[in-house]
Amino acid sequence: MESISNYLDFIKLKGRPVLEVNPGSDEIALTVEDALHGLELLKISHTEIFGGDVYSEDNGLLIYAYQLWGAKYHYLNWYCDRMDNEREDDYLKRSYEIASEGISNASKTAEQLKKKCFFVLVTGWIYSAQ
């Protein structure tokens, strides 16, 4: 099993801290392309994705996408809880599928709105951006 450190190094290199919208947060937002690459790194390390938060950019600052695009877009954030009696490998696979769908859906919406979007992939790993 590959180490999660490849993913953590990747987000440090490519990501943007979300401190401007979440002061004190260790979360790091990725572009669409980088989020998809991060998803692949998480698959390699067999790390579950609990969910994802979608951000956009307003005057150069990150903001929750639904705050900029409208409350009706809150649904673009996603989560993936493990179901009762779900095998770990099935949960991992489902968490990757839901993350991929979430990134795709938000990306399409951003394109329609002519906005940028960024993603925080919520995993069990915490990385300090500082």
Side-chain angles (χ1 to χ4, degrees):
M1 180 163 77
E2 290 287 322
S3 170
I4 189 67
S5 65
N6 291 336
Y7 172 75
L8 298 175
D9 290 343
F10 176 75
I11 63 172
K12 180 181 179 187
L13 178 68
K14 294 288 196 166
R16 280 178 68 176
V18 297
L19 295 171
E20 53 230 20
V21 70
N22 269 344
S25 173
D26 289 338
E27 294 178 323
I28 298 176
L30 300 167
T31 64
V32 174
E33 296 79 18
D34 290 339
L36 291 171
H37 183 74
L39 175 59
E40 292 305 314
L41 293 173
L42 290 168
K43 283 182 185 179
I44 291 168
S45 68
H46 302 278
T47 301
E48 63 275 327
I49 301 170
F50 299 132
D53 295 323
V54 182
Y55 292 81
S56 192
E57 196 173 50
D58 186 30
N59 294 319
L61 298 175
L62 289 179
I63 184 170
Y64 286 109
Y66 70 88
Q67 291 177 322
L68 182 62
W69 304 350
K72 69 180 182 179
Y73 295 104
H74 194 276
Y75 77 92
L76 292 171
N77 295 323
W78 72 89
Y79 66 92
C80 182
D81 292 333
R82 190 169 178 178
M83 295 186 281
D84 292 339
N85 301 319
E86 185 175 27
R87 293 184 345 191
E88 184 174 348
D89 58 330
D90 291 333
Y91 173 61
L92 286 171
K93 181 180 177 187
R94 190 169 58 83
S95 79
Y96 305 144
E97 290 170 356
I98 289 173
S100 180
E101 289 173 12
I103 293 167
S104 177
N105 290 338
S107 176
K108 288 175 188 173
T109 301
E111 285 177 21
Q112 291 170 349
L113 297 173
K114 299 187 184 333
K115 302 285 186 184
K116 293 181 182 179
C117 67
F118 302 85
F119 303 89
V120 169
L121 301 177
V122 180
T123 69
W125 296 93
I126 298 175
Y127 184 82
S128 177
Q130 302 164 343

